[in-house]
Amino acid sequence: MNWREQQQLKLDGMFDGLFYWLQKQFDPVTGGFYYARSSVSDGRFTPDIESTAQALNILLRYNLLKGMPFATKSKVIQYFQSKQEEHTGYFYDNNPQMPKDEVMVHRALNYAYHSLKRLGAEPLYKMPVEVRKAPAYTKSLAAYQKKWESIDLRNSWRGCDLLASSTVYIAQMEENDRKKYVQAMAKFLAEIQDPKTGLWGNGSLYVKISGTFKLHTFYRKYKIPMPNQEKIYQSILACLRTEDAVDMCYIRNPIDLLSYLQKEITEQELEEITRITIKNMERLKRKDGAFSRELKHSPKAPNVAQVKADDYYPNMPEPVEIGLGLYEGDMNATTQATLIRQQLHHLWGKTPDQLISNELFWELW
């Protein structure tokens, strides 16, 4: 048995119990999914948009979405559609703090729209750009550029998330306008990239790689090659070898970047990357079958978990609590663990095994 086969067995073994956990996160009344087990058992919490979209991502990555029963699919569609405001086009959770977090609003808009598409449905109402409810900075290219320039990158992860999520409105524009805005964003990002590391902004290596990961979603969406890819690759290697991965995002973001980069990886380095990644994942596997975002606990409010206790970022929003913060698995980390498995197989040049059949998964549902 070669190292790939050994690591694949180790990796796949970590997903024992995941599908039972996922089933128990579903709320048949609303059609949404809860963030963590503690969220299900506490009446203060309800299913949220991100967790529901992330659950669909898990189903999609395990080829289980196509087997979803019609009644269940109808409930999930109804869930997302019920979250949209008619007069603004935005999708909001029940928590009154959620609309005050710019990143959460943008993520919910993107998550809900694409989830509905995956389910063969559409939003009930027009999107914010169509009804002229998008932020003022979207009204002109000059205003959009000022918005980008105003974003603080002292914490790359948070700052680049603000940058990347702000582009959600570009996708809603007419094609000719969209091209201009995409070109302007690419030019802006190239100008502020660190040519020595290939990364953006400030912070630890993991924080800067996480910020770079956020920006790669823009490059990937519009099929633009990321500049300085060799430098990014060397920064990822240095980070994996020297820093402690205390967050599932720190494990997922480098792997997702590596799967995107047009880079030939040597056999020795691929084995090293694989072993470090799987070892780090093991630390975040929990007895309930899922994975946790952080080593000590599952964050109560993942919307502010980017900026750790020993760090600072100006004007952070209020925490939007969707769990009790226990030593447990959560949807945020579990969808990332699922993607890591998929991307590792991509790097190995292998097709992932089907861990559970559609028939068995939905029979247990």
Side-chain angles (χ1 to χ4, degrees):
M1 186 180 293
N2 61 36
W3 71 262
R4 277 182 174 81
E5 294 167 334
Q6 290 174 341
Q7 292 300 308
Q8 181 185 355
L9 285 174
K10 195 172 186 180
L11 176 64
D12 286 354
M14 277 193 277
F15 290 85
D16 289 346
L18 183 146
F19 300 105
Y20 180 77
W21 176 89
L22 181 63
Q23 289 166 341
K24 295 302 180 182
Q25 297 308 113
F26 181 65
D27 177 25
V29 176
T30 64
F33 285 79
Y34 288 93
Y35 167 70
R37 185 68 80 241
S38 66
S39 312
V40 179
S41 57
D42 192 305
R44 291 173 295 176
F45 303 118
T46 60
D48 64 280
I49 293 170
E50 286 199 17
S51 295
T52 305
Q54 288 164 353
L56 289 187
N57 283 341
I58 294 171
L59 294 174
L60 181 67
R61 288 162 186 162
Y62 287 112
N63 299 312
L64 297 171
L65 193 56
K66 60 186 177 183
M68 180 181 281
F70 177 79
T72 304
K73 182 183 290 187
S74 298
K75 289 297 293 185
V76 179
I77 290 171
Q78 183 182 18
Y79 172 81
F80 282 115
Q81 289 177 335
S82 72
K83 296 299 178 181
Q84 189 181 25
E85 281 193 351
E86 181 177 2
H87 68 287
T88 68
Y90 285 103
F91 295 80
Y92 293 127
D93 286 318
N94 296 344
N95 192 309
Q97 298 301 330
M98 182 267 186
K100 301 174 185 178
D101 184 337
E102 180 181 348
V103 169
M104 282 197 81
V105 170
H106 292 160
R107 284 167 63 91
L109 184 63
N110 191 55
Y111 266 137
Y113 177 80
H114 288 290
S115 294
L116 285 169
K117 288 286 188 180
R118 285 172 176 164
L119 294 167
E122 298 284 342
L124 291 179
Y125 312 112
K126 292 181 179 180
M127 301 292 275
V129 169
E130 292 181 90
V131 295
R132 300 182 183 279
K133 292 297 182 179
Y137 62 75
T138 64
K139 300 298 188 291
S140 71
L141 181 54
Y144 229 137
Q145 289 171 317
K146 286 184 179 178
K147 165 67 175 178
W148 297 332
E149 292 166 359
S150 72
I151 293 174
D152 193 322
L153 296 180
R154 75 181 69 188
N155 179 294
S156 174
W157 193 5
R158 182 66 185 181
C160 289
D161 202 4
L162 286 166
L163 272 175
S165 67
S166 77
T167 66
V168 67
Y169 304 105
I170 295 176
Q172 300 171 34
M173 296 178 177
E174 295 294 330
E175 186 176 355
N176 287 337
D177 287 335
R178 184 164 59 245
K179 286 181 179 178
K180 295 176 187 175
Y181 284 70
V182 168
Q183 289 171 357
M185 179 60 156
K187 182 175 182 292
F188 171 72
L189 294 180
E191 289 171 351
I192 64 171
Q193 184 186 33
D194 183 346
K196 294 181 180 179
T197 65
L199 308 178
W200 279 264
N202 298 311
S204 68
L205 273 175
Y206 267 128
V207 167
K208 289 190 286 189
I209 285 170
S210 296
T212 301
F213 159 77
K214 289 295 182 181
L215 296 183
H216 114 281
T217 59
F218 165 80
Y219 286 100
R220 175 175 270 172
K221 180 177 180 64
Y222 294 106
K223 298 179 172 60
I224 303 169
M226 223 171 193
N228 293 308
Q229 293 196 13
E230 177 61 31
K231 296 295 179 62
I232 296 172
Y233 177 70
Q234 294 301 327
S235 293
I236 290 172
L237 282 183
C239 181
L240 292 175
R241 290 166 175 166
T242 62
E243 292 199 355
D244 188 23
V246 298
D247 190 306
M248 181 62 86
C249 298
Y250 290 167
I251 307 169
R252 173 266 182 98
N253 296 344
I255 292 299
D256 217 11
L257 275 173
L258 287 172
S259 73
Y260 160 80
L261 296 178
Q262 301 300 310
K263 165 70 182 172
E264 287 289 333
I265 303 176
T266 68
E267 185 76 0
Q268 182 179 352
E269 288 177 348
L270 180 56
E271 181 179 357
E272 181 185 14
I273 290 164
T274 297
R275 291 184 183 279
I276 291 171
T277 299
I278 292 176
K279 182 179 179 181
N280 287 336
M281 285 180 70
E282 286 180 315
R283 301 166 73 197
L284 292 169
K285 172 70 176 181
R286 298 293 174 255
K287 289 182 179 180
D288 59 17
F291 294 82
S292 178
R293 261 287 301 271
E294 296 184 351
L295 289 173
K296 295 182 179 180
H297 61 93
S298 174
K300 294 181 182 180
N303 72 307
V304 293
Q306 287 173 322
V307 180
K308 304 305 180 186
D310 58 350
D311 202 356
Y312 168 77
Y313 190 85
N315 303 314
M316 283 294 288
E318 290 295 319
V320 177
E321 295 188 357
I322 53 179
L324 291 176
L326 306 180
Y327 189 78
E328 62 181 342
D330 61 70
M331 195 69 74
N332 190 301
T334 304
T335 193
Q336 294 191 65
T338 299
L339 182 60
I340 292 167
R341 177 179 181 267
Q342 186 179 59
Q343 300 293 40
L344 279 175
H345 279 79
H346 171 73
L347 292 173
W348 298 337
K350 299 184 67 173
T351 300
D353 292 335
Q354 183 79 2
L355 295 182
I356 189 171
S357 68
N358 266 277
E359 293 76 17
L360 179 57
F361 180 80
W362 294 112
E363 179 185 321
L364 295 173
W365 194 259

